Amino acid sequence: MNTFRKVMALSALTFCATPCAFALPMDAGPLTLEAALKATLAQNPQLDGYEFRVQALAGERQTAALKPQFRTSAQLENIAGTNEYSGVDSGELTLSLSSVIELGGQRKARLGLVTARQQQLDTAQRVLTLDLLAQVTRQFIAVAAAQEQLRLLQQTRELAQQTVQTLNRQVQAGRTPEAELLRAKAAIARATIDAQKAEQLLKSERVKLSIFWADATPDFTQVRADLFVIPEPAPLPDLLARLENNPDLMLLEDEVELSAAELRHAQAERTPNLEWNVGIRRLQVTEDSALVVGISMPLGSGGRATGAMATAAANQAGAELQRDQAHLRLEAHLVNLHEAYRQALSEVNTLRDDVVPQLRQAMQATANAFQQGRYSYLELDLAQRQLLTEQLSLIAAAARAHALGTDLERLTGASLSTPALSNQAAPISHSQVKSLP
């Protein structure tokens, strides 16, 4: 199974390429997580700003790679003096060429520093990409949950309408008080309000999802996902081992590498550069020419670089400490997430396999007895409400489990034990990203 590291490489390749327009197909059926992720990768405006920072660092690298430039100079001596040096007849003209020889690997250190900054930017770009993919997945889960909730509440309204029809017949036959019919009609109104609110919630969640690809008027009306199929988590020791793939730790590791590159650059600056010049001098008095050669080196360069080296070393130590502390915090967070995911999965399994089926059977038995006049409407209403409450709890628990699974994948840099979302309405997971272009 592909890991989140491959997803990170995929994301980096996606954003290094020239952005292209991406549009969700019209009337193509329910939206899949894969299509939502593709649209986000192609059109999310948060990712556009990195292009300019990449170009800026490319310019810095081009500048850092330059060798010291050559300089030309002209010097006229022995003019505007006294006696025989008055005027310019005794002037001596010197034309020279000069430059600097960099010592101590300064050019290599400059390039290494820019390379470290480019690596840090690349990792930061991938971290932002993965954060966006995780946010899209969570919002996709919210849409799927709202969709299930709307479907359930619409079914509840239809059931309430059927109950009213049954009560109408019983009231006309004199078998049921009219008060129960009034209660049932009020229940229809209440169910209608709940369904309308759920419909509005679904519309809102769809907009929140489509805004990730800069579309405030989504074309899709449904998403394709099986909210109640949830993979088992990998064992905790395996997840802890995968924590090294955490993209945030990679970013902190890049910060350590950047500090090390700054230290190497400061150490290279400690070595003084050798300046040279060569030229030709015209001796006006004798009308001869002579070669002029010079060399110079600044003094005290090592002492002047001490402060920069101390700063870079302190920054490196601080970056290493921050990385190690973050690793400990992430380990504790991973343990809590793993336990929360297992609890949510257990809740989903219990509600789906035990509680809801038993309450459904109880409600059906109560409905059959109600049809025969052995149970009152209040008893039927209680059975229906109990079933509805647990069905809504199942939807909420499933959504929470999927969200926790997304957090686990984002934290460990690896997918869970089984794929979670496909075009065939499988469970929800980042593993689908592996097929993106």
Side-chain angles (χ1 to χ4, degrees):
M1 176 173 294
N2 291 359
T3 66
F4 236 45
R5 181 173 294 177
K6 295 183 179 180
V7 177
M8 293 176 70
L10 166 69
S11 302
L13 291 174
T14 301
F15 285 98
C16 287
T18 303
C20 59
F22 182 93
L24 293 174
M26 295 289 290
D27 300 326
L31 176 71
T32 64
L33 178 58
E34 178 182 355
L37 294 174
K38 282 183 178 180
T40 301
L41 288 173
Q43 297 179 193
N44 188 277
Q46 287 183 264
L47 300 167
D48 294 339
Y50 277 94
E51 179 181 355
F52 304 106
R53 296 172 64 183
V54 169
Q55 293 174 358
L57 283 176
E60 285 189 27
R61 183 174 184 83
Q62 185 177 5
T63 301
L66 294 176
K67 295 180 179 180
Q69 61 185 9
F70 290 95
R71 296 189 298 272
T72 61
S73 64
Q75 187 175 2
L76 186 60
E77 301 178 9
N78 299 333
I79 62 171
T82 60
N83 298 326
E84 68 267 25
Y85 293 106
S86 63
V88 296
D89 292 338
S90 300
E92 296 181 352
L93 178 64
T94 303
L95 299 177
S96 63
L97 178 69
S98 63
S99 186
V100 173
I101 299 176
E102 291 185 310
L103 302 177
Q106 294 185 24
R107 180 169 173 268
K108 180 180 179 180
R110 287 198 308 271
L111 287 171
L113 181 57
V114 177
T115 299
R117 289 173 178 167
Q118 288 176 322
Q119 177 60 43
Q120 185 186 45
L121 178 62
D122 180 63
T123 303
Q125 183 180 15
R126 285 180 286 167
V127 168
L128 174 61
T129 302
L130 292 175
D131 284 339
L132 282 173
L133 296 182
Q135 292 173 28
V136 170
T137 303
R138 294 187 193 99
Q139 188 56 40
F140 190 91
I141 294 168
V143 174
Q147 185 174 284
E148 286 293 330
Q149 183 174 330
L150 174 60
R151 179 189 60 80
L152 178 61
L153 292 175
Q154 287 175 338
Q155 291 177 353
T156 300
R157 181 176 58 188
E158 293 173 359
L159 184 60
Q161 292 171 343
Q162 295 173 5
T163 301
V164 166
Q165 294 175 359
T166 301
L167 281 171
N168 264 324
R169 292 192 297 269
Q170 292 181 355
V171 169
Q172 292 174 0
R175 296 164 47 195
T176 300
E178 187 176 1
E180 293 196 350
L181 176 61
L182 296 176
R183 292 191 184 95
K185 289 182 177 180
I188 291 180
R190 179 71 262 178
T192 300
I193 292 174
D194 292 340
Q196 290 173 344
K197 291 170 64 176
E199 185 175 5
Q200 180 59 41
L201 175 63
L202 178 57
K203 291 179 180 179
S204 175
E205 299 294 352
R206 288 204 305 264
V207 173
K208 291 179 183 178
L209 177 60
S210 65
I211 207 67
F212 279 103
W213 52 87
D215 183 6
T217 56
D219 299 323
F220 68 95
T221 58
Q222 290 184 324
V223 296
R224 181 182 299 166
D226 190 339
L227 193 65
F228 306 113
V229 178
I230 304 170
E232 288 284 343
L236 182 58
D238 293 349
L239 292 178
L240 288 172
R242 296 175 187 174
L243 195 58
E244 298 300 327
N245 297 330
N246 179 270
D248 300 297
L249 287 180
M250 292 180 182
L251 186 59
L252 291 174
E253 186 64 38
D254 286 344
E255 184 68 29
V256 173
E257 291 298 326
L258 177 59
S259 299
E262 290 174 345
L263 179 58
R264 290 191 293 269
H265 182 259
Q267 291 171 338
E269 291 289 333
R270 179 179 54 182
T271 303
N273 294 327
L274 185 65
E275 301 178 10
W276 62 266
N277 66 82
V278 62
I280 187 169
R281 176 174 294 175
R282 170 68 176 177
L283 303 174
Q284 190 67 21
V285 175
T286 61
E287 296 184 352
D288 292 325
S289 298
L291 189 65
V292 178
V293 177
I295 189 170
S296 66
M297 178 179 290
L299 300 177
S301 299
R304 296 175 66 88
T306 302
M309 291 171 55
T311 300
N315 289 339
Q316 181 179 2
E320 292 174 349
L321 178 61
Q322 185 178 8
R323 177 199 59 195
D324 296 340
Q325 290 176 341
H327 194 281
L328 291 175
R329 290 195 301 269
L330 288 176
E331 281 187 349
H333 185 44
L334 176 58
V335 172
N336 292 332
L337 268 181
H338 185 265
E339 184 60 30
Y341 182 82
R342 289 179 57 84
Q343 189 279 328
L345 177 59
S346 175
E347 182 179 354
V348 169
N349 291 337
T350 300
L351 289 172
R352 182 192 58 206
D353 301 335
D354 296 328
V355 177
V356 170
Q358 292 178 17
L359 288 178
R360 185 178 288 115
Q361 292 178 6
M363 191 274 291
Q364 187 60 51
T366 304
N368 292 337
F370 171 75
Q371 294 283 352
Q372 299 170 8
R374 294 189 291 111
Y375 281 169
S376 68
Y377 167 73
L378 291 178
E379 292 169 310
L380 175 63
D381 181 62
L382 176 60
Q384 292 174 344
R385 287 182 178 276
Q386 286 180 330
L387 176 59
L388 175 61
T389 297
E390 297 306 326
Q391 286 174 319
L392 292 174
S393 297
L394 173 59
I395 294 173
R400 185 171 67 257
H402 282 298
L404 289 169
T406 300
D407 292 340
L408 273 176
E409 292 180 358
R410 172 64 177 80
L411 190 62
T412 59
S415 299
L416 294 177
S417 56
T418 59
L421 182 108
S422 71
N423 292 333
Q424 302 302 321
I428 299 170
S429 170
H430 283 141
S431 59
Q432 188 61 211
V433 187
K434 64 186 179 184
S435 64
L436 296 181

